[in-house]
């Protein structure tokens, strides 16, 4: 099946993703915006999913788990929703909003937070230092957290 969408309403692409992945979605009636995805060669379902998440992020939206459904929310609204939290080595590094807890060993979390607050994170992200465990708590797109991780390493 082709995965080309030119100026397609977001709701049309959500419907296509639901059919392709078998995932259930909930979105507001007034979901607006258009998406263009051009994939001239066959792509995998995983690649289609990543393209879908990226196109939502470009429109200021993300997916948030809610039981057996995924809610499509504006990123600013999703920050206070039930987004997934990761503390171990694994975390999704795509364009999905997540919270990541990073324990630091050789540098103060407060120093990192002050230094990176306006330099590294994206405009939709949030970063806080938790001094008791010398940890950073970052809510942002997984791809932006990946960038922060590379700088920290």
């Amino acid at each position: 099946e082709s995965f080309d969408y030119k100026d397609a309403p977001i709701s049309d692409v959500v419907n296509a993703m639901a059919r392709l992945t078998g995932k259930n979605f909930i979105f507001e009636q007034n979901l607006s915006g258009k998406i263009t995805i051009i994939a001239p060669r066959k792509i995998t379902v995983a690649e289609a999913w990543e393209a879908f998440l990226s196109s939502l992020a470009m429109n200021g939206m993300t997916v948030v788990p809610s039981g057996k459904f995924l809610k499509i929310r504006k990123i600013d609204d999703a920050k206070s929703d039930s987004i997934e939290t990761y503390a171990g080595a694994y975390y999704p590094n795509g364009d999905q909003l997540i919270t990541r807890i990073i324990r630091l060993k050789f540098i103060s979390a407060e120093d990192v937070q002050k230094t990176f607050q306006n330099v590294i994170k994206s405009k939709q992200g949030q970063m806080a230092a938790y001094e008791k465990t010398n940890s950073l708590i970052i809510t942002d797109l997984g791809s932006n957290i990946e960038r922060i991780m590379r700088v920290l390493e």
Side-chain angles (χ1 to χ4, degrees), residues 5 11 18 22 30 41 47 56 58 62 67 73 97 99 102 108 112 115 128 132 141-142 146 150:
Y5 295 91
S11 59
N30 61 352
R41 286 178 261 136
E47 291 167 331
L56 285 177
M58 290 173 65
T62 191
R73 308 272 326 262
L97 192 69
T99 294
I102 306 163
S108 157
V112 171
T115 302
K132 291 181 182 180
L141 298 177
E146 176 73 10
R150 285 193 310 264

Side-chain angles (χ1 to χ4, degrees), residues 1 18 27 34 54 63 74 78 86 89 95 108 112 118 127 135 150:
E1 179 178 330
F27 54 90
K34 298 209 178 226
S54 293
V63 295
K74 290 186 189 301
Y86 298 87
D95 287 330
S108 157
V112 171
N118 296 314
M127 181 185 296
S135 299
R150 285 193 310 264

